[in-house]
């Protein structure tokens, strides 16, 4: 996925787990804490804010990965600019971070147990000393 490097992908795999951990990608977004809160009758949360429940480090990594969508060469640039024009850059990054979580959840579900299989790296060429 564009913008998701080795550290972010490791964090996503570690916290999202394998196939079947979440029944939907929406629940994964809620677990990460990027879902939008709604006004409740007890008045304890301002509406329209993210819930911030879940791993803070993962939210930070996802927000940083989503900021790469602000680049014109990014595949999600059209979506990012659309949200940015309607709201602002911060909300566009949060929206893109939610898209990354949903996409990662679908990838992990599709891979199943193979998501955690180690892929053999090609052996490094050996040099012969003469």
């Amino acid at each position: 996925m564009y913008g998701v490097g080795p550290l972010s992908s490791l964090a996503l795999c570690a916290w999202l787990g394998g196939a079947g951990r979440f029944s939907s990608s929406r629940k994964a977004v809620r677990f990460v804490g990027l879902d939008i809160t709604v006004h409740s009758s007890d008045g304890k949360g301002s509406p329209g804010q993210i819930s911030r429940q879940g791993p803070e480090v993962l939210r930070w990594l996802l927000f940083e990965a989503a900021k790469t969508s602000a680049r014109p060469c990014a595949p999600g640039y059209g979506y990012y600019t659309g949200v940015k024009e309607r709201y602002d850059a911060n909300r566009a990054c949060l929206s893109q971070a939610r898209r990354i979580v949903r996409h990662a959840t679908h990838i992990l579900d599709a891979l199943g147990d193979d998501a955690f299989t180690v892929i053999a790296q090609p052996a490094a060429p050996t040099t012969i000393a003469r």
Side-chain angles (χ1 to χ4, degrees), residues 90-121:
N90 189 33
R91 213 184 244 184
C93 280
L94 289 172
S95 184
Q96 193 69 16
R98 283 189 286 275
R99 286 182 72 190
I100 291 172
V101 172
R102 287 193 303 267
H103 189 64
T105 304
H106 292 300
I107 288 173
L108 287 171
D109 281 343
L111 289 174
D113 291 335
D114 292 336
F116 302 103
T117 304
V118 177
I119 299 172
Q121 297 291 328

Side-chain angles (χ1 to χ4, degrees), residues 24-105:
S24 69
S25 60
R26 180 179 288 176
K27 290 183 180 180
V29 171
R30 178 166 291 235
F31 168 77
V32 173
L34 290 173
D35 59 330
I36 304 296
T37 60
V38 294
H39 184 70
S40 59
S41 62
D42 62 1
K44 284 189 178 177
S46 58
Q49 304 293 322
I50 60 172
S51 65
R52 292 190 180 105
Q53 297 174 351
E56 183 179 347
V57 173
L58 183 58
R59 270 194 314 279
W60 175 75
L61 285 169
L62 288 166
F63 189 81
E64 293 297 320
K67 283 179 21 178
T68 60
S69 298
R71 299 177 186 165
C73 61
Y77 182 70
Y79 177 77
Y80 172 85
T81 54
V83 175
K84 183 181 174 186
E85 288 172 0
R86 282 179 294 179
Y87 299 105
D88 62 353
N90 189 33
R91 213 184 244 184
C93 280
L94 289 172
S95 184
Q96 193 69 16
R98 283 189 286 275
R99 286 182 72 190
I100 291 172
V101 172
R102 287 193 303 267
H103 189 64
T105 304

Side-chain angles (χ1 to χ4, degrees), residues 121-127:
Q121 297 291 328
T126 57
T127 57

